[in-house]
Amino acid sequence: MAPAQCGGTGVTERLRFAPSPTGKLHLGNARTALVNWLVARGCGGSLNLRVEDTDENRNVEGAEQRIFEDLRWLGIDWDEGPDVGGGRGPYRQSDRRLRHQEVVAELLASGAGYYCFEDVGDVRVARTAASETGQPFEWPGRAIDPQDARARVAAGEPAVVRFRAPSDPVRFLDGLRGETGVAAGQIGDFVIARADRSPTYQLAVVADDHDMAVTHVIRGQDHLSNTPGQVALYSALGWEVPRFTHLPLVLGEDRSRLSKRHGATSVAAMRERGVLGEALANYLVLLGWAPPDDDEVLDASAMIGAFDLAGLSPTNVVFDQDKLEWLSQQHMQRLSPDALCTRAAPFFEEAGTPLGAGPDELAWWQEALQLFAPAAHRLEELPAHAAPLFWEPADSPRPAIDGDLAGAMGRFAAAAAAGELDTEDGFRNAARAIGKATGLRGRGLFHPLRELITGQDMGAELARLIPLIQAGSRLAVRPAVLSVEARLAVALAAR
Ligand code: GLU
């Protein structure tokens, strides 16, 4: 059965994500994009991307491309948008200015719009003062004869266009809240066109959603207060109202709205820290929603198959970095060795240990990453886990060893030089024999060995790490990998 969010009426669901190119894509907006994508894909509908760039003062150079890149990194694709064309574009709001002006003209002609010559700020102050003292408020401009107003505008007098808000209550259905809206008189006569004739967001969003035949508007709860005015505009224009759903907010741990104050909250920052895109998408879908069978680790097709808008909790959700990192770890373990290498490569490049180009080097790196990945939560952590491969004892002198321990280490060095530690089994056999011969075993044997060859007192399993070091020492990886026998020689020379 199709989820409740799909109409089942023969109408194709058309969804849209409408970012403003004013900065980075933040987690809250990324979640809005993801939910729109899941509903579109789950219903077999379309997702359109529309860049809301009408507020020219706030547009940031390059932000649009970065948002597209972040969306793709999350695994979100779209069917229509400024970079793919498609159906009912153009998909950059600024390209639609003439159409917006046409809609404003339509509202002026029907009387649902009117010119207002008063300063916008002054009107706001007067309205606030009236509401504080309980006085009725007369919107300046409402009473001016439309013909006179047109003549004043034609003569060059600056004016904004306001929407004559209805005096009745405005009600609409919200996907999570049910019927909601505002009481009579709550919507003010908001501005639909500025004095320079540019449309405001309220006008442009309604015109665009209508013209693009959008059936579902899913956006953040921060837009809930805009919706009654938009619903009133739809009615004034005689247009069908889309289905609205307002997603609860994403909060920081202190329960205030997630913002820069809470640290890294942009999609780009998560990518730079080496969180996997599919893990972040998986995390975002779990904010306020639980999959029907308890498995929380979901790939894209599992999310599409299981997600149901109606199952989303209407309460705000708190961002949990630990849970995100856990999911990132889970997704990292699901990557093929090859894919893990490809994803990790930029982080190793950055750390100064680039993943070599030759096939032998790449195969070695794949094995290395399989060893270290289970302990890492993010790709960025991998180079540190792999650092023992490149450790050089000469860089940090170890205390001298002697007696039985020196004997045991000498035997390990000899076994290493003879190629006996090249495999897991070889290492285990050698360790057993050396234990027998020296009377040292368990921690007493392996702890010093680990320290002498890696400089660390814990880490990956020696039976896998040591053959890896040996194999690396024979390859042209950079920096060079020192063999186990060479590492031990330094320790033994210090006696
Ligand atoms: N451009 C708006 C924003 O970035 C979205 C408006 C909408 O979805 O209706 O918040």
Side-chain angles (χ1 to χ4, degrees):
M1 203 184 76
Q5 69 239 18
C6 307
T9 54
V11 176
T12 305
E13 285 75 9
R14 288 178 60 86
L15 290 100
R16 52 48 156 203
F17 177 58
S20 302
T22 52
K24 292 179 173 168
L25 184 66
H26 281 264
L27 296 181
N29 279 343
R31 175 192 187 219
T32 300
L34 181 74
V35 169
N36 276 288
W37 179 74
L38 287 171
V39 173
R41 294 291 170 259
C43 295
S46 70
L47 177 65
N48 307 336
L49 195 66
R50 182 174 76 225
V51 177
E52 301 211 320
D53 59 350
T54 37
D55 193 347
E56 281 166 19
N57 299 328
R58 295 184 60 223
N59 291 345
V60 171
E61 179 80 27
E64 176 183 311
Q65 284 309 322
R66 285 197 292 272
I67 291 171
F68 295 175
E69 210 177 287
D70 287 344
L71 291 171
R72 291 197 184 98
W73 177 75
L74 283 164
I76 296 173
D77 59 349
W78 48 95
D79 308 293
E80 297 172 23
D83 57 342
V84 285
R88 304 173 212 230
Y91 295 90
R92 212 173 264 111
Q93 221 163 35
S94 54
D95 292 338
R96 289 178 43 83
R97 184 172 280 208
L98 287 179
R99 170 61 180 150
H100 296 145
Q101 286 168 351
E102 198 176 284
V103 176
V104 172
E106 196 178 324
L107 290 162
L108 279 167
S110 72
Y114 64 87
Y115 286 112
C116 174
F117 298 89
E118 301 287 321
D119 177 80
V120 172
D122 292 348
V123 174
R124 193 178 306 122
V125 171
R127 186 178 183 223
T128 310
S131 85
E132 276 166 6
T133 54
Q135 300 293 311
F137 181 71
E138 293 292 332
W139 287 91
R142 264 202 186 207
I144 302 174
D145 177 75
Q147 236 167 347
D148 292 349
R150 264 198 298 278
R152 284 168 68 177
V153 170
E157 198 176 333
V160 300
V161 180
R162 289 187 181 273
F163 174 59
R164 192 182 300 271
S167 46
D168 305 332
V170 174
R171 312 294 299 166
F172 64 95
L173 270 180
D174 176 273
L176 298 182
R177 288 166 190 76
E179 194 182 312
T180 179
V182 290
Q186 290 295 299
I187 307 173
D189 286 2
F190 54 85
V191 175
I192 53 177
R194 303 182 187 95
D196 65 2
R197 302 191 67 207
S198 66
T200 58
Y201 158 72
Q202 283 291 75
L203 185 281
V205 74
V206 168
D208 293 350
D209 284 337
H210 168 75
D211 290 0
M212 293 172 191
V214 168
T215 56
H216 292 55
V217 171
I218 304 175
R219 59 187 172 195
Q221 189 175 299
D222 46 328
H223 285 288
L224 188 57
S225 58
N226 294 326
T227 307
Q230 293 172 16
V231 170
L233 266 179
Y234 279 101
S235 312
L237 288 157
W239 292 345
E240 199 179 326
V241 180
R243 287 210 229 174
F244 286 101
T245 301
H246 293 87
L247 302 176
L249 299 179
V250 184
L251 308 177
E253 261 160 24
D254 59 357
R255 313 252 150 192
S256 69
R257 192 168 170 201
L258 195 65
S259 70
K260 286 191 195 117
R261 281 188 305 113
H262 296 99
T265 55
S266 69
V267 170
M270 297 297 162
R271 181 174 54 213
E272 280 154 22
R273 301 179 69 207
V275 168
L276 294 187
E278 57 268 54
L280 182 55
N282 188 170
Y283 177 73
L284 293 174
V285 79
L286 296 178
L287 288 172
W289 176 81
D293 58 4
D294 290 335
D295 186 5
E296 289 193 307
V297 185
L298 306 170
D299 64 11
S301 66
M303 284 196 282
I304 292 169
F307 184 73
D308 182 7
L309 196 55
L312 205 64
S313 154
T315 51
N316 291 340
V317 285
V318 176
F319 176 66
D320 177 354
Q321 180 78 33
D322 292 343
K323 173 95 181 250
L324 170 60
E325 300 222 349
W326 175 78
L327 279 168
S328 185
Q329 183 181 35
Q330 301 303 311
H331 280 275
M332 229 150 88
Q333 289 180 29
R334 292 181 172 205
L335 290 178
S336 70
D338 189 32
L340 180 59
C341 267
T342 308
R343 306 270 199 112
F347 295 91
F348 280 91
E349 188 79 40
E350 174 83 24
T353 50
L355 307 190
D360 292 346
E361 285 77 26
L362 272 178
W364 179 77
W365 271 114
Q366 286 189 6
E367 214 181 308
L369 295 199
Q370 291 306 299
L371 177 59
F372 299 118
H377 295 90
R378 292 180 276 114
L379 298 168
E380 189 192 38
E381 295 171 356
L382 282 172
H385 285 282
L389 295 173
F390 302 102
W391 190 70
E392 302 221 356
D395 296 344
S396 63
R398 318 301 311 164
I401 50 161
D402 36 334
D404 289 343
L405 196 52
M409 296 303 132
R411 285 168 192 262
F412 272 117
E420 289 166 21
L421 308 188
D422 289 357
T423 62
E424 247 183 273
D425 282 348
F427 171 78
R428 288 189 211 284
N429 292 337
R432 213 174 294 120
I434 293 169
K436 237 191 208 147
T438 59
L440 292 165
R441 54 174 53 92
R443 234 186 103 72
L445 183 63
F446 296 122
H447 188 255
L449 177 63
R450 179 187 295 284
E451 273 223 294
L452 292 178
I453 63 175
T454 69
Q456 298 185 336
D457 60 2
M458 52 196 267
E461 203 188 338
L462 282 180
R464 290 176 67 192
L465 180 62
I466 285 178
L468 197 62
I469 291 175
Q470 295 303 74
S473 72
R474 292 180 207 117
L475 292 171
V477 289
R478 277 186 310 114
V481 174
L482 215 55
S483 68
V484 165
E485 57 272 30
R487 295 178 193 209
L488 288 174
V490 176
L492 295 169
R495 280 200 294 162

